[in-house]
Amino acid sequence: MEMGIVGWSSLVIMLTVFCPSSLALTLDGLALLEIKSTFNDTKNVLGNWQEFDETHCAWTGISCHSGDEQRVRSINLPYMQLGGIISPSIGKLSRLQRLALHQNSLHGTIPNELTNCTELRALYLRGNFFQGGIPSNIGNLSYLNILDLSSNTLKGAIPSSIGRLSHLQILNLSTNFFSGEIPDIGVLSTFDKSSFNGNLDLCGRQVQKPCRTSLGFPVVLPHAESDEAAVPAKRSSHYMKGVLIGAMATMGLALVMILSFLWTRLLSKKERAAKRYTEVKKQVDPGASTKLITFHGDLPYTSSEIIEKLESLDEEHIIGSGGYGTVYRMVMNDCGTFAVKRIDRSCEGSDQVFERELEILGSIKHINLVNMRGYCRLPSSRLLIYDYLALGSLDDLLHENTQQRRLLNWSDRLKIALGSARGLAYLHHECSPEIVHRDIKSSNILLDENMEPHISDFGLGKLLVDEEAHVTTVVAGTFGYLAPEYLQSGRATEKSDVYSFGVLLLELVTGKRPTDPSFVKRGLNVVGWVNTLLRDNRLEDVVDKRCSDADAGTLEVILELAERCTDGNADDRPSMNQVLQLLEQEVMSPCPSEFYESHSDH
Ligand SMILES: Nc1ncnc2c1ncn2[C@@H]1O[C@H](COP(=O)(O)OP(=O)(O)O)[C@@H](O)[C@H]1O
Ligand SMILES: *[C@@H]1O[C@H](CO)[C@@H](O)[C@H](O)[C@H]1NC(C)=O
Ligand SMILES: *[C@@H]1O[C@H](CO)[C@@H](O)[C@H](O)[C@H]1NC(C)=O
Ligand SMILES: *[C@@H]1O[C@H](CO)[C@@H](O)[C@H](O)[C@H]1NC(C)=O
Ligand SMILES: *[C@@H]1O[C@H](CO)[C@@H](O)[C@H](O)[C@H]1NC(C)=O
Ligand SMILES: [Mg+2]
């Protein structure tokens, strides 16, 4: 044991002597370790926050500003079952913009030092056991957009300095023990009862409860509650949390059982699907062979019916064209509709290899992926048969919107973001071998009649290489989606897909193409443009004017995610599973009612 310690420390000394200091953590990294030391991390989610790491920017829950200084930009650790307190060292992270520690079991006070983080935009401490009051100089946080302290055991008066927070869009102090008069000044005058619910001793105009009788006597006595008096109430909130945690644990267990059941079902289904793969050969004329392969045998037509339809496709059936060729709409005699893609590109390797690869792509099934039904080789062309998606591509809906088409509101866009994340996470993390899409962009997000998004063209980029065409597609509209390292090396990875997904999120928020002329003129793409506007706190200029139903909470989450996904450094981008987890936690659950309420208001 002792030997080990001696060995380690001499190693450390050697490292410090022989290596430049760039290998050691910066002051922000050290501050994070101090913060970790006062957390009670029973689930070991902070296991990779290690003293001897070169950088803290890849630690769980941490993202940094771009640049060499590695300043911490956000701490995202909601729902992590963290106990303990927030260390005053938080004040050292002076460039912190987002602190999300909601739904943990933290206690102690909100440290006054937090007001040293003057760039803070979003503070989520909801659903913990924080005690004491709100730091009185919270009004120093002049960029603060979102302040959610609901469901804690905070008490005392509401500091009037909150009124100075002119950017504040969401204030939630509900379900605490605040007392006294709510100052009716500045931005504090703009919030109503819903921001202060469940604080029995609060009074003021916002909660429609006068603080004084007409004779001038106080209705609510100045706060004189002793700590003993507060205990039972606190207990009951602990008890409620116990019940809730119990219920959630049971539900979690049930979910695990259902998932493992589905998993085994899925496996046997995949095996069966592989067996059902059928191949039909039809000799048309000697020499040139026509070949139809249907995947899963789920095209309920005879091969001659299909081939006849395919042969009859011509210009009037064209619905689009892109980098790989022309897309047709094919309507069968029973009105079953399909999309047929005629491939002009040559493919790498032999027909056999190509067909085996296609077979793999055809076996991939997910609600958020476009289903490939079959492949046909005609004497003159090669055709891929897909499900037809009635609402067409996101690109058309966002950018080519003619009057008859419906506008995409904010909740549609959230649904599209979430579904696309699910589809892409499936390709990256559930398929084996994993599939890098290579061409995530809005024209490859197709929508069905329920606005459910389906990702198309996955895996094709690898299958259909064309030295010349590659360059032209890049110019033809994919350019703005490509990660810097992909542009440089031409090597696509999961992290370059994540970058493209981040650009897609920005496209959903801004309603602009990634290479809109208005910012290309200033030498920027959408990533640079949004970052420039956000730096000046011009949120209202970022958001598409067509989504008036955008709420500040989900907007903040999407922008935060987009910013992390489009990080210039691929290693600092989250994985699609992490992206999906955040979206599911923050956009859909845990309070679906909250999500839907915010939309039914409009
Ligand atoms: N399965 C489909 N259902 C409906 N429309 C489709 C389908 N596949 C493609 N399209 C339409 O055809 C267009 C061209 O598709 P594609 O050849 O993949 O090129 P790109 O993705 O570069 O636009 C798409 O933008 C879309 O509008
Ligand atoms: C950490 O939490 C666990 C379980 O919640 C508890 O048993 C333990 O005493 C806590 N440790 C500290 C140091 O607070
Ligand atoms: C507050 O931030 C400054 C940098 O802006 C830093 O030098 C100082 O140590 C911080 N104070 C505390 C109490 O963390
Ligand atoms: C923050 O607030 C404190 C106390 O209200 C004040 O002394 C200090 O100057 C403020 N700092 C800034 C940067 O506004
Ligand atoms: C405030 O928070 C509570 C509980 O966390 C939630 O039920 C309520 O909907 C929130 N109110 C607003 C206006 O966001
Ligand atoms: Mg496409």
Side-chain angles (χ1 to χ4, degrees), residues 115-116 118 136-142 161 164:
T115 58
N116 200 31
T118 48
S136 59
N137 51 3
I138 194 160
N140 278 14
L141 303 178
S142 56
S161 76
R164 296 208 309 262

Side-chain angles (χ1 to χ4, degrees), residues 207-488:
V207 291
Q208 291 143 24
K209 189 165 149 193
C211 293
R212 286 164 204 287
T213 63
S214 51
L215 293 175
F217 293 117
V219 172
V220 178
L221 290 171
H223 199 59
E225 201 178 46
S226 70
D227 276 348
E228 281 85 44
V231 166
K234 222 179 106 189
R235 263 275 169 71
S236 75
S237 100
H238 273 287
Y239 174 71
M240 280 299 292
K241 281 195 180 166
V243 171
L244 239 147
I245 289 168
M248 278 165 67
T250 332
M251 278 164 59
L253 198 66
L255 196 71
V256 167
M257 285 168 67
I258 293 172
L259 282 179
S260 53
F261 172 72
L262 284 178
W263 175 241
T264 46
R265 283 287 308 267
L266 201 72
L267 274 187
S268 57
K269 232 177 121 180
K270 265 191 182 161
E271 281 164 16
R272 270 184 281 131
K275 289 205 186 83
R276 266 200 288 148
Y277 152 78
T278 55
E279 189 173 302
V280 185
K281 284 193 168 122
K282 182 189 158 208
Q283 293 299 126
V284 177
D285 55 83
S289 67
T290 291
K291 182 178 190 182
L292 178 71
I293 301 175
T294 59
F295 307 117
H296 300 267
D298 55 4
L299 266 179
Y301 310 97
T302 65
S303 22
S304 51
E305 267 182 287
I306 298 173
I307 290 169
E308 198 177 303
K309 277 283 174 210
L310 288 174
E311 282 170 336
S312 70
L313 291 176
D314 63 22
E315 271 178 24
E316 61 177 310
H317 303 110
I318 293 179
I319 49 176
S321 70
Y324 305 113
T326 312
V327 182
Y328 300 84
R329 193 172 111 129
M330 174 173 79
V331 184
M332 305 303 288
N333 294 336
D334 67 351
C335 294
T337 308
F338 300 90
V340 174
K341 179 171 284 183
R342 182 192 299 272
I343 301 168
D344 334 304
R345 287 210 208 175
S346 59
C347 55
E348 198 162 67
S350 66
D351 277 353
Q352 280 86 350
V353 172
F354 178 70
E355 282 158 21
R356 207 171 322 125
E357 294 278 326
L358 272 187
E359 190 189 330
I360 294 171
L361 294 182
S363 72
I364 296 169
K365 305 287 154 188
H366 185 275
I367 160 84
N368 297 112
L369 298 174
V370 176
N371 192 8
M372 191 195 284
R373 298 280 193 141
Y375 162 69
C376 184
R377 195 174 74 211
L378 293 178
S380 58
S381 56
R382 290 177 303 153
L383 304 161
L384 292 170
I385 306 170
Y386 291 98
D387 280 352
Y388 176 77
L389 278 308
L391 291 189
S393 76
L394 175 64
D395 185 307
D396 288 347
L397 276 176
L398 271 182
H399 309 300
E400 309 283 324
N401 214 326
T402 44
Q403 293 318 32
Q404 77 265 19
R405 281 212 176 110
R406 70 172 284 196
L407 284 172
L408 292 172
N409 61 25
W410 183 241
S411 60
D412 294 330
R413 295 178 200 217
L414 289 178
K415 182 174 176 172
I416 292 168
L418 191 73
S420 309
R422 287 198 176 114
L424 192 53
Y426 185 83
L427 290 175
H428 285 185
H429 302 295
E430 308 295 320
C431 292
S432 151
E434 72 279 6
I435 292 179
V436 175
H437 187 291
R438 292 164 174 258
D439 200 13
I440 290 289
K441 56 178 177 177
S442 58
S443 69
N444 277 338
I445 307 293
L446 305 177
L447 302 163
D448 67 20
E449 49 290 317
N450 301 318
M451 270 298 171
E452 190 65 42
H454 303 251
I455 298 181
S456 77
D457 292 349
F458 46 90
L460 279 191
K462 192 179 163 203
L463 220 51
L464 303 167
V465 283
D466 181 359
E467 305 71 33
E468 285 168 71
H470 180 71
V471 184
T472 35
T473 7
V474 165
V475 175
T478 308
F479 184 74
Y481 295 94
L482 298 185
E485 79 280 1
Y486 181 26
L487 275 173
Q488 254 177 21

